Amino acid sequence: MADRLYLDHAATTPMPEAARAAVVEGMAGWANPSSPHAEGRAARAALERARGQIAAAYGWRGETLLTSGASEALAIALGRSAPARRLIGATEHDAAIRAAPGATTIPVTADGLVDHAALTALLTSPALVAVQWANSETGVRQPIAEIAAIVHAAGGLLLVDAAQMPGGADPELAEHADFIAISAHKRGGPPGTGALLVRNLATLTPVGGQERGYRAGTENLPGALGHAAALAVPEPVSHYAALRERLDDAITRSGGDVVASAAPRHPAIGSYRMRGLAAATQLVRFDMAGIAVSAGSACSSGSMKPSHVLTAMGWTGEATREVIRVSFGRATTAEDVDRFVAAWRDIARGVRAFAA
């Protein structure tokens, strides 16, 4: 597997050594953090240090509830926050949609941005509004400050799914969001852990015996330690952006389409259409070339089904089935991008030759 190229970091990114070591440390600290004896108190102290480190990585000064991941964090906020109404962006992750059946959908523009006029019109009474910091499929970034102003003016609360956001990438997020859902394994931490950042616990209904009474189950000490350690390893955001710009330019020059090219986007996530070849077939051909990419968001739109995200942006059914996603990690290089582009061009030439 050493010669393979992994470009699916938006689905899961490998753990850096520091995160792996922290998980091992947590396994050694085997006691239940809720136990009153010395071993339990030591585990609790380690857990609380990790909690503080996770919050600090996002500039958060409110409460931090540790969860099994961003999906559970979204479910807690959408299921138990104070406003009676739920508004969810049309391009949101499936986890948000599942957590709020019957929620009102907020339309998006052709670039995948929340339609501000429509949002304003929908906020006839206070509501919890859920949007992604950056879409996990297209990388489109929402203007959180502008959305927050609209939501708060109507007396509502804002939930931001920041699972794809590198820690520290947007210092203003903590100023505007009322809830933030984060995921460890998207940022180099272990799978099965994450957090819900909460500005005011009074806006949530408590349930369960853990996490200040807002979650049931035993705390995942190894996961929390690994999550905190991963966030302490800097992510090269400007490097990501340079790589994505390099890829955007090469795909355009190769006859492909860059999804939402005019919108602000995540520095490490891009979606691209190769006309004439289904994404499922592209995935197989890239895999045979030793390159791992995805279609949809792997855990949102799904790797082999039509994209509700692109459909909401006005794409036709045929077009949605020809889009793949490429996403970078800490170790991705310009040479890796060039290798992907060379494979893209080989596959595209085959499509054109077949069409001719």
Side-chain angles (χ1 to χ4, degrees):
M1 301 291 284
D3 61 342
R4 287 184 59 82
L5 174 57
Y6 183 74
L7 294 176
D8 194 21
H9 293 268
T12 294
T13 198
M15 283 192 286
E17 178 56 37
R20 293 196 296 269
V23 171
V24 172
E25 176 189 346
M27 291 292 185
W30 44 267
N32 188 326
S34 296
S35 296
H37 45 61
E39 292 83 357
R41 294 196 302 274
R44 169 61 60 183
L47 184 77
E48 294 307 319
R49 284 194 298 272
R51 188 194 308 275
Q53 291 162 352
I54 292 167
Y58 290 88
W60 192 250
R61 296 179 181 176
E63 297 289 341
T64 300
L65 306 181
L66 302 178
T67 67
S68 62
S71 292
E72 185 189 8
L74 290 169
I76 290 173
L78 286 163
R80 306 212 303 270
S81 62
R85 300 174 62 218
R86 303 287 183 264
L87 306 182
I88 298 179
T91 59
E92 293 311 293
H93 194 285
D94 275 352
I97 296 171
R98 287 193 301 267
T104 300
T105 299
I106 311 165
V108 297
T109 67
D111 285 329
L113 297 169
V114 165
D115 186 320
H116 290 191
L119 174 60
T120 301
L122 289 168
L123 283 168
T124 54
S125 61
L128 177 69
V129 175
V131 299
Q132 284 180 303
W133 180 81
N135 185 265
S136 49
E137 180 175 338
T138 64
V140 171
R141 281 187 57 180
Q142 300 294 340
I144 298 301
E146 296 174 22
I147 293 172
I150 296 171
V151 173
H152 293 152
L157 299 176
L158 179 62
L159 164 62
V160 178
D161 175 357
Q164 297 292 351
M165 189 185 98
D170 184 359
E172 293 187 353
L173 177 62
E175 299 177 21
H176 301 294
D178 298 289
F179 304 96
I180 302 175
I182 59 177
S183 167
H185 75 101
K186 307 289 188 181
R187 308 267 48 95
T193 189
L196 176 65
L197 310 183
V198 182
R199 185 172 302 282
N200 181 1
L201 283 178
T203 59
L204 274 182
T205 301
V207 63
Q210 305 298 340
E211 294 302 299
R212 281 79 165 155
Y214 288 85
R215 181 175 185 262
T218 302
E219 297 94 336
N220 180 356
L221 176 60
L225 295 184
H227 190 182
L231 291 173
V233 180
E235 292 198 66
V237 175
S238 60
H239 175 62
Y240 293 157
L243 292 179
R244 206 210 65 224
E245 290 173 7
R246 183 187 188 98
L247 180 54
D248 286 357
D249 179 65
I251 292 296
T252 300
R253 288 187 288 105
S254 301
D257 299 322
V258 179
V259 176
S261 60
R265 287 181 293 146
H266 192 294
I269 299 175
S271 283
Y272 308 95
R273 181 188 180 192
M274 184 187 296
R275 294 173 181 259
L277 191 65
T281 304
Q282 292 181 55
L283 296 188
V284 172
R285 294 190 182 180
F286 278 113
D287 198 43
M288 292 173 65
I291 302 173
V293 293
S294 65
S297 71
C299 56
S300 175
S301 295
S303 58
M304 296 294 178
K305 66 180 182 179
S307 165
H308 79 275
V309 171
L310 295 175
T311 299
M313 293 166 62
W315 286 56
T316 67
E318 178 184 2
T320 66
R321 288 187 284 270
E322 296 175 344
V323 175
I324 64 169
R325 182 188 68 181
V326 180
S327 49
F328 311 131
R330 290 179 175 88
T332 307
T333 65
E335 290 73 20
D336 293 334
V337 171
D338 292 345
R339 177 179 165 187
F340 170 80
V341 170
W344 170 285
R345 289 172 176 163
D346 284 344
I347 295 168
R349 275 195 293 269
V351 173
R352 289 192 291 269
F354 180 79

